[in-house]
Amino acid sequence: MKVKKRNWFARQLESEQFTTKQIIGMLIPLILDQLFIYMIGLLTTSMISSSGEDSVTAVSLVTPVVTLITAVFTALSSGGAIVVAQYKGHGDREKLQEAIGQTIWICVILAVVLNGLIAAFASPLVNLLFGAAEEGSREKATLYLAGMAINTIVHSMRVATSAGLRGVGDIKHNLFGSILINVSYFIFCYIFINLLQWDIVGTLVAYFLARFLGLLSSLYFLFFQKNSQVHIRLSQMLKPKLTYLKSIWKLGIPFCAEEVFFNGGAILASAYMVFLGTVSVAAHAIANSIFSTLYAPTMAVGILATTVIGQCIGAGRRDLAQWYGKKLILRGYGVALISLIAMLPMLSWIISLYQPQAETQSLVYQLLAIGIAGMILFWPVSNIMPSVLRAAGDAYFTTVASLIAMWVFRVGMGYVISIPMGYGIRGIWY
């Protein structure tokens, strides 16, 4: 009897470790997850714009600081996800569960300490970084920073539980949590910002309630799904175990340092961006919000790479890790192209959601044109390759490369082109 040959599609990503169906089954929920996150962010930013450009400016100025805070926990949890993925590849269920519990422990402890300090010193921090901004924008920025610091304590625990699910390839439960968070965030924002007119406070309350619901869903999957491989005991989360913490720390700290210095550069860029005026800052905020939705699907491929490469390394198959790394980078370019083709026809309508002034709208189009050109050429490899290398245990090269790119180009050349050379906000995007 003849054996039926596998079709072309089935052969593309199939190996002894994964089938093409498994890879696609993880990738599609990840793409939907990332799209939900960034599209809801886009819609809520457009809601905030209804409160005036000073609100948009305040959120835009503080966003790099908030991103820096959350990046610390994203980095540590990514280290945890890699450890979990490696234990999954090795087939050690007990250690896999211990690694999830320890990832949660370290993220929560650090969140309480770090965010408590930031909330307490929000006002002097905003005045130090953005003292040249208008007084109304500074006041709103202070409130937003303090509120987001407190909210991030809840977010850090959600990120850690999500990393555990992602490490074993349980993308569907992660997607459920993400949909719950983002849909509820959108609904709460509509209630508190559009209906009740709470402005920045409405954003903070909506964020807290949505993240709390997401956290509850993650905890349910971890503690009450007893047949699941990610089911953990409370003792595995409450008691620190140095063996696991060292592994998480070793993989997470280089990524964490990269995120700190990278976002530190973004904060510095925001600090000199203030001198370009409210119109430029508002245009940057709107363009950045839209652009993040464009590259969200490619971000999903990078997240998938962490799981796939980590499990290959855990199984001792470095050859497969290398093979999948190349395959996923190439697929990333295809995903980026599809994303652009799908979104570009809607661009004019999306920009209109923000109700920008004519001058701001024209500038938004210019910034997006610059960003899209770079995205087509460089974004997939610059986003996916670091995930591949980190999952294989090489976090140091990616950190050094990222920091050089940030401080030489985004901060250094960004300042020179935007201010001394007179290109304004376009210089930062160049």
Side-chain angles (χ1 to χ4, degrees), residues 8 39 41 55 75 83-84 173 185 188 210 351 385:
W8 176 86
M39 287 183 74
S55 293
V83 174
V84 170
H173 282 152
Y185 182 50
F188 289 139
I351 292 174
M385 178 62 85

Side-chain angles (χ1 to χ4, degrees), residues 4 27 34 128 133 188 193 214 222 322 334 343 345 388 397 400:
K4 187 178 179 180
L27 179 59
Q34 292 298 301
L128 174 67
F188 289 139
I193 298 175
L222 288 177
Q322 195 172 54
M343 294 274 302
V388 171
F397 173 80
V400 172

